[in-house]
Amino acid sequence: MALINESHPEEFILLGFSDQHWLELPLFIILLITYPMALLGNIAIILVSVLDPRLHSPMYFFLTNLSFLDMCYTTSIVPQMLFNLGSSKKTISYMGCAVQLYIFHTMGGTECLLLAVMSFDRYVAICRPLHYTLIMNQPTCVLLVSTVWLGGITYAVSEVTITLQLPLCGINKLDHVLCEIPVLIKAACGEKEANELTLSVVCIFMLAVPLCLILASYASIGRAVLNMKTSEGKKKAFGTCSSHLIVVFLFYGPGISMYLQPPSSITRDQPKFMALFYAVVTPAANPFIYTLRNKDVKGALSNLVRSIFISK
């Protein structure tokens, strides 16, 4: 099937908050501040995880991938949002919309699966500590990350391609700040119940199933922590796991509220605020969550900053 046909416009008009002009300047300033913060924070996590030998472990290998995902995730959204908020021309080309959809959903799908893998890593570390190095060896970690990326790409390519086939019957206005699958399905004309059903089924596998695995892992971790005899062991386990749990709830909460309901039932402003949450809160918060609650990362960051100043 051709990706572009006569029913698809050359460009979309992203209405965003055009009916609430007083919101545009504050949102523009917030994005302009938080976007560089998110990039710098995630770059710092990647650098210390790669450069500091003490952080060469499966946990930080997965964290490096999470930081890279967040960088790509927010970069696929924020520049377009800044352009639209800062100008009167609030458009995106059809191909630009398609590219944004593929990147955004590849990163989102991959992060869903990666967070589940990270919870499995914590489960093995706390519940099977004697077998940890045997189970979570380097080839296994690389295989897990490769599988996660393949799953995210497969989800994005299949779901986005199906959505782009929907006829829009000349409609080129999207009441949103970016291109997103539920919004496109809602704007489409003709029969779209099959697309809604497909999206729901796929999202159950991409959101609900990984979340259930995460919760099961942490149920086992909770029992293991309660059985620990030393308060120091409990504190260390709680520190590493609580950071991951916060990230899980920040990511899965908006995702479930957005994707595990029929697009036709989504309220008018819900997708816009969810997109702001994706673009601002999660990518900017993740580096701070992992650094402020992790002594190893804080120590590695201090050493990196110290070495930069000494070299200068």
Side-chain angles (χ1 to χ4, degrees), residues 187-227:
C189 58
E191 294 295 325
K192 51 189 176 183
E193 286 76 13
N195 292 76
E196 291 189 354
L197 179 62
T198 302
L199 180 64
S200 298
V201 171
V202 170
C203 287
I204 286 172
F205 284 99
M206 296 300 296
L207 281 167
V209 172
L211 182 59
C212 289
L213 293 174
I214 291 170
L215 295 176
S217 296
Y218 276 102
S220 300
I221 289 170
R223 287 195 297 269
V225 170
L226 290 175
N227 291 330

Side-chain angles (χ1 to χ4, degrees), residues 51-78:
L51 297 177
D52 195 314
R54 293 174 300 174
L55 302 184
H56 290 176
S57 67
M59 175 181 169
Y60 296 105
F61 174 65
F62 296 134
L63 181 56
T64 300
N65 277 271
L66 179 65
S67 294
F68 178 73
L69 277 170
D70 280 339
M71 286 172 56
C72 298
Y73 196 60
T74 191
T75 300
S76 70
I77 304 170
V78 176

